[in-house]
Amino acid sequence: MSGGIVSWGVYLPYWRLERAAIGAAFGTATARGTRAVASYDEDTTTLGVEAGRRALNIAGVPVPEDLFFSTPAPAYLDKTNATTIHAALGLPAGAGAYDLCGSVRSAWATMSLTALSGERRPSMAVISDLRTGLPGGAEESQGGDGAVAFVFAPEGGVAEVKGHASVTDEFLERWRVPGETASRQWEDRFGEEVYVPAARAAFTAALENAGLTIDDVDHLVVAGLHARAVGSLRKSLGVPSDRVAPDYVARMGNLGAAQAGVGLADVLERGSPGQVVVVLELADGADAVVLRTTAALVAVQEERRKAGSIGVAALADQGRADLPYAVFLSWRGHLRREPPRRPDPERPDAPAMRRNESWKFGFSASRCVACGFVHLPPTRVCLSCRAVDRMEPLRLADVRGTVATYTIDRLAYSLSPPMLGAVIDFDGGGRYRGEMTDVDPEAVSIGTRVEMTFRRLYTAEGVHNYFWKARPLSDGAGATDEDAGSVDPGGKERG
């Protein structure tokens, strides 16, 4: 069997911002549609964790032995962000974790390096971006937040690389110096004059390298932050319009570093074996790769359906689009909101985080091997049978649960009040009291079905405090699973 991509996952945040809200605030005309917005408790690391979970939550996917993470907006500098993703995904200590950050083009290098590593052992590429522009600008309106992940392995690949080519040119079209939150751009026509010839050259060379012609192309993905150049190339490369993959920018925004990967994931979800896919990305030059899908694609698509994976097109249509523009600005740091009248949180303690890594990052409980009682957080002494040191770890990050009770706290410290605290009963055992996110306080109720999501609780003195929160399942607050039953903390059904 051939190697290559064996699984993929895409994550888009819950929130959407209507572009019309930006125009209304400034009294200007804006484009139609929405953009995906990372919540106040999300950053590029948490987005990457969610995409990685979706790539691994498929039957038969091997455990990655290398993890490569890329983003132009890292949560940390001078600290590896990939190690946080590694811990949250529960990967073994023997698996490497590395950052390739700094620019959109770094994402292409991440995919290339992961593909090479995947020829020898299972490897994962995680790419995320959080696009922030100045208020009222095109970057703010047209950008979007999201992440994509791919798992590569020596066998079972769904797409083989047939050819590739790159064109590099040093020119100043987009830049951001350290400390700035928004990129700057040169005049649009200048970028288009440079990008279009470079992209044409890379596209032609990649097809020649693969021994193919334009007529052989079944799917074309064109991505890049220069909208004019991308739009021009989508129409002028000679590929019929029905073979040019949709970019969904009108509904989710341009995801920057993650845009090309999300486009490839969309094609893999819709494609058939034996088809030729060309991915063309514009960033400080142009890169193109030619792939041909294999017979393994059908089986992977079926496993994704069984796992309940949602396609890119459906994800683009989801999301809550009533986010106030002022709230968006406060989340992005452009509008300083009065903080809650409570003491600021203290900086998380590094030794304590290290001692509790499996709980804090992996959300692993302990289960008593004597009686089966599940403890959250993990403990040495069983609360049910009092057995000592007879525990086994139990990862609950991917286990669903049910709201047993909840409270709406309007006084607690939160960047998006009110805070909703809930007691969650997990399927199969375990009860936990924690925060909920991505939820309408008026819609939640006892019995609401939830899943866990990795979030940033707060940042204090430059240290991010990551942990897990619960959120309603995508099928709506109050939804229940008929086959889930009602479970007590000891794992015994109530009826």
Side-chain angles (χ1 to χ4, degrees):
M1 297 179 67
S2 61
I5 299 170
V6 296
S7 184
W8 61 90
V10 175
Y11 175 72
L12 295 180
Y14 167 78
W15 290 100
R16 300 288 187 274
L17 176 66
E18 293 277 0
R19 294 190 177 100
I22 302 174
F26 290 95
T28 59
T30 54
R32 297 178 180 178
T34 60
R35 61 155 290 169
V37 175
S39 183
Y40 73 97
D41 54 0
E42 294 184 295
D43 58 23
T44 51
T45 296
T46 66
L47 298 178
V49 169
E50 294 302 307
R53 293 174 66 197
R54 284 153 178 76
L56 295 177
N57 191 30
I58 306 296
V61 177
V63 177
E65 297 181 35
D66 274 323
L67 169 65
F68 301 97
F69 174 57
S70 181
T71 178
Y76 279 119
L77 297 175
D78 209 14
K79 181 196 180 304
T80 304
N81 298 275
T83 55
T84 301
I85 299 176
H86 174 285
L89 295 179
L91 300 184
Y98 313 95
D99 283 356
L100 290 87
C101 300
S103 67
V104 169
R105 203 176 196 189
S106 297
W108 191 272
T110 301
M111 288 289 285
S112 300
L113 183 59
T114 309
L116 289 174
S117 178
E119 294 177 357
R120 302 185 305 274
R121 56 183 187 174
S123 302
M124 172 181 275
V126 177
I127 302 166
S128 70
D129 207 345
L130 194 154
R131 305 306 307 176
T132 298
L134 293 176
E139 181 89 351
E140 177 189 64
S141 174
Q142 297 302 311
D145 308 330
V148 63
F150 293 93
V151 179
F152 291 77
E155 296 183 348
V158 302
E160 300 175 319
V161 175
K162 292 300 183 180
H164 57 85
S166 297
V167 173
T168 299
D169 194 357
E170 166 53 29
F171 63 103
L172 189 65
E173 185 271 324
R174 172 183 295 272
W175 70 98
R176 175 167 56 90
V177 299
E180 292 186 337
T181 59
S183 298
R184 306 185 193 188
Q185 293 176 261
W186 208 263
E187 198 272 331
D188 272 351
R189 287 176 296 179
F190 169 68
E192 186 176 10
E193 290 172 359
V194 178
Y195 273 129
V196 171
R200 287 181 179 277
F203 176 74
T204 301
L207 284 176
E208 291 178 352
N209 184 255
L212 300 171
T213 68
I214 291 179
D215 293 335
D216 297 313
V217 177
D218 296 294
H219 301 278
L220 171 64
V221 176
V222 184
L225 284 170
H226 197 290
R228 283 180 55 159
V230 169
S232 174
L233 290 163
R234 286 169 58 88
K235 298 176 182 177
S236 64
L237 283 175
V239 177
S241 59
D242 61 343
R243 299 186 182 185
V244 179
D247 58 17
Y248 305 108
V249 169
R251 288 180 276 170
M252 66 184 186
N254 191 318
L255 305 182
Q259 186 72 11
V262 170
L264 175 57
D266 176 54
V267 168
L268 294 177
E269 290 164 357
R270 299 182 292 104
S272 304
Q275 293 186 322
V276 173
V277 182
V278 180
V279 180
L280 178 63
E281 183 170 46
L282 285 59
D284 300 310
D287 299 279
V289 63
V290 181
L291 307 104
R292 188 186 295 274
T293 56
T294 71
L297 180 61
V298 175
V300 174
Q301 290 173 335
E302 179 59 27
E303 290 299 332
R304 289 177 57 80
R305 281 191 287 270
K306 291 179 181 178
S309 297
I310 302 175
V312 174
L315 284 174
D317 284 335
Q318 290 185 349
R320 182 174 171 181
D322 61 346
L323 179 67
Y325 183 52
V327 174
F328 168 79
L329 291 177
S330 69
W331 289 357
R332 286 297 199 263
H334 292 309
L335 181 64
R336 187 177 181 184
R337 181 175 183 172
E338 182 182 13
R341 295 176 181 177
R342 292 291 182 272
D344 290 342
E346 297 182 358
R347 180 179 65 183
D349 183 79
M353 289 193 294
R354 176 66 183 85
R355 288 192 301 268
N356 298 286
E357 177 182 338
S358 62
W359 162 246
K360 180 173 176 57
F361 296 99
F363 204 66
S364 292
S366 60
R367 178 167 54 193
C368 178
V369 297
C371 70
F373 195 91
V374 178
H375 304 78
L376 293 92
T379 183
R380 293 177 56 192
V381 180
C382 180
L383 296 176
S384 178
C385 71
R386 304 300 178 183
V388 179
D389 290 335
R390 299 193 63 188
M391 300 291 175
E392 62 180 1
L394 176 65
R395 179 178 167 88
L396 292 179
D398 303 313
V399 177
R400 294 176 172 180
T402 303
V403 173
T405 187
Y406 68 97
T407 183
I408 300 174
D409 191 340
R410 303 184 186 276
L411 298 177
Y413 184 93
S414 173
L415 295 178
S416 183
M419 178 187 293
L420 200 153
V423 175
I424 308 297
D425 284 340
F426 287 92
D427 299 347
R431 170 170 284 189
Y432 175 69
R433 182 184 64 186
E435 286 187 48
M436 292 190 68
T437 190
D438 295 349
V439 60
D440 179 357
E442 303 302 323
V444 72
S445 63
I446 294 175
T448 294
R449 294 287 290 159
V450 298
E451 60 185 355
M452 302 306 292
T453 179
F454 191 69
R455 296 298 170 101
R456 186 187 63 205
L457 298 186
Y458 60 84
T459 299
E461 298 183 44
V463 179
H464 303 309
N465 188 21
Y466 292 109
F467 195 56
W468 297 81
K469 295 183 180 181
R471 67 176 171 200
L473 295 180
S474 58
D475 55 357
T480 58
D481 293 345
E482 293 181 359
D483 58 346
S486 181
V487 183
D488 72 11
K492 299 177 182 179
E493 295 187 359
R494 291 202 193 99

